[in-house]
Amino acid sequence: MIDGDVTGEPAKRVGRRRFGKAAIGAAGLVAGAAAGMAGGVALAHEARNPAPPATDRRRFEGKAVLVTGATSGIGRAIAMAVAAEGGKVAFCGRREDRGAEVEKAVRDAGGEATYFRADVTDENDVKDFVDGAVDVLGGLDAAFDNAGVTVQKPLHEYTTEEFDLVMDTNLRGVFLAMKYQIPHMLDSGGSIVVTSSSAATDSSDSQAAYAASKAGLLGLMRSAAFDYVDRGIRVNAILPGTTDTELVRGAAGMDGIPDSAWAVAAKKWAEGRVPLGRMATPEEIAAAALTLGSGEHPYMVAQELGVDGGVTARS
């Protein structure tokens, strides 16, 4: 599984952002939703996250770029942002309908994108995706290895299969992506950005597998960075905090409420937990990822860029 799909019981699988003691509880969200409905449109408008500023930057002009886990959330935002800056994007995801939608959205906006169905837990899928994408794009300049899932429960309640799912997707999946991406960069150099999480350094309860996988990614990233720094390949990691995606909303059981009510409920959850007082938007995380993946900071190697609204700094 990839893309942080939320499926199956009793475990709750959520893409990339965690909820422990600071979870969005259903009761709290319902109260927030009620407040939002009572407060009306004006209150909901104030609670909405800001839109990212428009940009005319072309840092990826003509560049061949791969993104894993890009059929929704942060990965989708990365693919859209790279294409908006002139990049030729190939991306993968398990859900074919979502892949087709993202591909169309990029092309409708004037960009270039090609979707490949692939599951990052399957080595053959990953190899076929990377090799096929490089063939279509004519090379590889940058990769954003982003796919991830989580299973949330106390450690002793995990089944072996659940623990393996998280590790195979979040850690082994990135290893496989890099394993097949790097040979295409050995002669010409390139950039790889790994999506870790603020949970790698600021974990909470009920996320043993997720926190372990995301912390493991930092070790993987650093070692790979040192392996290939003399070949012109820069490897770095981004550490997002809780991000307002459909997956987070679904995990909270709030898919069916109006958008305005969700906006207020999400803001209420963030108050007192996030210094900025809100969740991140996928576009904000994507903007930071593009900074690492572009060529504008050639001296950044083996770095961890936290984008979490100040949560880890305060803790």
Side-chain angles (χ1 to χ4, degrees), residues 27-46:
L29 275 178
V30 170
M37 296 302 288
V41 175
L43 180 58
H45 178 74
E46 292 175 4

Side-chain angles (χ1 to χ4, degrees), residues 143 145 174 178 181-182 185 190-194 217-229 232-238 292 300-304:
D145 295 330
V174 172
M178 293 172 68
Q181 291 160 358
I182 286 170
M185 296 180 169
S191 177
I192 296 175
V193 179
V194 171
L217 276 179
L218 299 183
L220 180 73
M221 176 275 294
R222 286 191 292 265
S223 183
F226 301 143
D227 281 342
Y228 304 106
V229 66
I233 302 173
R234 296 184 305 108
V235 187
N236 293 285
I238 188 167
L292 286 181
M300 289 187 72
V301 178
Q303 297 303 301
E304 305 164 11

